[in-house]
Amino acid sequence: MHDRGSTGGTMSAAQPPQPVTPAENRHRWQAVGVGLVAAFMTLLDVSIVNVAVPSIDRALHASSSDLQWILSGYALTFGLALVPAGRFGDARGRRNAFVFGIALFTITSALAGLATSPTWLVIARLLQGAAAGVVNPQVIGLIQQLFRGPERARPFGLLGATIGISTAVGPLLGGLLIAIGGEEHGWRWVFFVNVPVGVLAVILGWRLLPGRPTGQPGWRRLDPFGVLLLGIGVVLVLLPLVQEQQWQTPWKWALIPVGLAVLVAFGLWERRYASQHEPLFDLRLFTFQSYTLGSILALVYFGGFTAIFFIFTLFLQMGLGYSALVAGLAITPFALGSAAAAVLGGRIVNRFGRPLVAVGLLTVLVGLAATVIGLHLAPDAPAPWVTAGPLLVAGIGSGLVIAPNQTITLAEVPVGQAGSGAGMLQTGQRIGAAAGIAAVGSLFFSSLADSRGDWTTAFEQSLMLATGIIALALIVALIDIWRSHKHRS
């Protein structure tokens, strides 16, 4: 792969593309198609439940703490499962892990839809998030396994489109389901909609996904102590972020440095463990500039990117009184722009490399700045109309960030470590998303209080913070471009 934003040898040099027959090519695209459907379904559940919160509150008489766990518990266990599940798929076969994860996701979705109490729903959401964390590394690992070098750009482009659409269209689909099912029971269909899709994905996944190649070793040990250390570290870092609004004590932030210390201990353990066994995560992946800076960029970008939809939904529904359906429709321009640009980005990333990501980040910043300016200059105009154009521009930029960055970041990762490498990349995205929502959400609510209920001011100020976070991601991309240029010269 010709990558202008990474150094050293690439996978395409080490593992040249192998010719495939038309039948084999069709079969692998069918397998990737099943994976993309599963990824869409699991990522959709990160945001689709947001618009269902008022209905859940009325139906189950949930406390504010219950509602917070229904929303954030999914993200917590999602992030917790990513790396161990990716390592398991690398070692024991991605088809087995994928089918297990989708089956568990389908069952827990049904249980969530049948919930009769807040506790029941919280437990179902925790298990559902863990199942999603099992599935997603297998999808990326599958692309790494079935495609080589520049071939990966196209499926990663489609995966980037899937990520962008699922994140942005969640509120729209949730609003539609609630409108169809009614305020009392519509929220249940937010979960039930996963069941038929999940059943189909289990059947097709078992038939179409490749098993572990004959002769590939299956490691007996999967580093249980490493799993424990990583799990504790991720929980300690994520917990105060996802509970930021519920835990009022400032002592909650002490958990983050403790969690980081545990993650350092995890790194030291993995380094020692790797001398004799296959580690949970091979730290040598961080010797690749493309993987290290790409992972940092993804962490920072998701910190700003995900927070936008959180505050925008609050602004439209709670501040301006729009319905869940209208709030979802207002985000649709971003989703459409992201989907189209992600497919394009996947096709041209081999030609432009990391500079394409930098252009995408700059485009996102322009779109978000235009959103703030538009709301400020036309405070009395309908917000969904004012923000439609700028959000379309921001979505186009986002599509040029997620898919190309993922392609570049994983370009040098060996196929045998694709699952764990992708799992660590996605863990960073989940931590970034949680941190961004905590920081941007905190500014949103504090600004709302300081301005005595001025929702527009609160949204503008918090959106500026999200824009600043994305600007940091642009700086990371520029550093990567500069270092690569320096290395070549």
Side-chain angles (χ1 to χ4, degrees):
M1 174 178 173
H2 178 61
D3 174 14
R4 299 185 182 185
S6 60
T7 60
T10 63
M11 287 298 298
S12 59
Q15 297 182 344
Q18 300 297 318
V20 295
T21 66
E24 289 173 331
N25 186 61
R26 183 171 61 252
H27 180 79
R28 64 179 180 172
W29 276 108
Q30 290 172 343
V32 168
V34 175
L36 293 178
V37 170
F40 177 83
M41 185 170 59
T42 55
L43 292 170
L44 184 72
D45 267 59
V46 175
S47 60
I48 193 173
V49 181
N50 288 342
V51 296
V53 165
S55 299
I56 293 172
D57 186 15
R58 288 190 293 269
L60 301 182
H61 307 290
S63 67
S64 58
S65 179
D66 292 329
L67 294 174
Q68 180 68 16
W69 273 102
I70 290 167
L71 292 175
S72 61
Y74 183 90
L76 179 65
T77 52
F78 192 140
L80 193 60
L82 286 165
V83 175
R87 180 71 259 161
F88 183 89
D90 291 339
R92 304 289 170 84
R94 296 188 177 96
R95 181 177 65 183
N96 295 336
F98 178 88
V99 171
F100 170 78
I102 284 295
L104 180 60
F105 186 84
T106 303
I107 293 169
T108 52
S109 295
L111 290 174
L114 295 170
T116 57
S117 70
T119 302
W120 178 335
L121 185 53
V122 167
I123 294 173
R125 284 286 284 173
L126 291 172
L127 294 173
Q128 191 188 32
V134 172
V135 171
N136 277 271
Q138 317 312 326
V139 179
I140 299 178
L142 183 70
I143 293 174
Q144 295 280 92
Q145 178 181 337
L146 296 180
F147 297 85
R148 292 291 184 269
E151 290 182 324
R152 294 173 180 161
R154 186 181 174 193
F156 272 134
L158 294 174
L159 179 60
T162 300
I163 294 171
I165 293 174
S166 62
T167 303
V169 84
L172 171 60
L173 184 56
L176 281 171
L177 290 170
I178 292 171
I180 294 171
E183 285 293 322
E184 185 176 356
H185 296 294
W187 67 270
R188 297 185 185 274
W189 291 101
V190 167
F191 301 109
F192 285 148
V193 72
N194 294 326
V195 176
V197 181
V199 170
L200 187 62
V202 167
I203 297 171
L204 294 178
W206 184 258
R207 289 185 58 186
L208 297 174
L209 268 63
R212 191 172 72 238
T214 304
Q216 178 179 321
W219 297 284
R220 292 183 178 181
R221 300 185 62 185
L222 290 175
D223 191 6
F225 188 64
V227 172
L228 181 64
L229 283 176
L230 180 62
I232 292 173
V234 170
V235 168
L236 290 176
V237 171
L238 281 177
L239 201 56
L241 296 174
V242 300
Q243 288 291 101
E244 194 270 336
Q245 291 296 317
Q246 299 301 318
W247 291 357
Q248 299 301 318
T249 173
W251 287 104
K252 63 189 174 190
W253 302 117
L255 294 178
I256 292 181
V258 175
L260 293 176
V262 174
L263 291 177
V264 170
F266 164 75
L268 296 174
W269 167 259
E270 289 299 287
R271 188 175 181 180
R272 177 184 176 186
Y273 190 85
S275 63
Q276 296 180 336
H277 306 285
E278 189 70 25
L280 176 65
F281 177 78
D282 194 338
L283 296 174
R284 288 176 295 182
L285 291 180
F286 287 123
T287 62
F288 298 122
Q289 176 182 314
S290 58
Y291 186 80
T292 301
L293 290 180
S295 298
I296 294 172
L297 190 153
L299 183 151
V300 177
Y301 179 68
F302 270 73
F305 160 70
T306 312
I308 294 169
F309 306 110
F310 173 67
I311 58 174
F312 194 43
T313 302
L314 288 175
F315 170 60
L316 292 177
Q317 287 188 259
M318 300 178 65
L320 302 184
Y322 289 104
S323 67
L325 180 58
V326 173
L329 285 169
I331 300 172
T332 302
F334 188 102
L336 295 176
S338 178
V343 175
L344 173 64
R347 292 179 180 273
I348 64 176
V349 63
N350 292 317
R351 180 180 178 185
F352 296 103
R354 190 73 77 189
L356 177 65
V357 178
V359 170
L361 289 165
L362 185 61
T363 306
V364 174
L365 293 175
V366 170
L368 295 181
T371 302
V372 174
I373 294 172
L375 288 171
H376 190 74
L377 294 179
D380 298 325
W385 288 107
V386 172
T387 60
L391 286 180
L392 176 63
V393 173
I396 291 171
S398 186
L400 296 178
V401 174
I402 297 176
N405 182 65
Q406 194 156 241
T407 304
I408 296 167
T409 302
L410 297 174
E412 299 176 288
V413 175
V415 173
Q417 297 169 328
S420 58
M424 188 62 75
L425 174 64
Q426 289 186 313
T427 300
Q429 292 173 357
R430 300 274 70 81
I431 292 175
I437 289 174
V440 175
S442 178
L443 177 61
F444 181 88
F445 290 116
S446 63
S447 177
L448 189 63
D450 293 341
S451 62
R452 298 181 181 180
D454 188 337
W455 288 85
T456 301
T457 298
F459 177 68
E460 290 176 357
Q461 292 184 357
S462 54
L463 185 58
M464 289 175 63
L465 176 58
T467 304
I469 294 172
I470 293 172
L472 293 177
L474 176 59
I475 292 174
V476 175
L478 294 176
I479 290 173
D480 192 16
I481 295 168
W482 173 75
R483 291 190 60 177
S484 298
H485 178 74
K486 183 178 179 182
H487 177 77
R488 288 196 304 271
S489 61

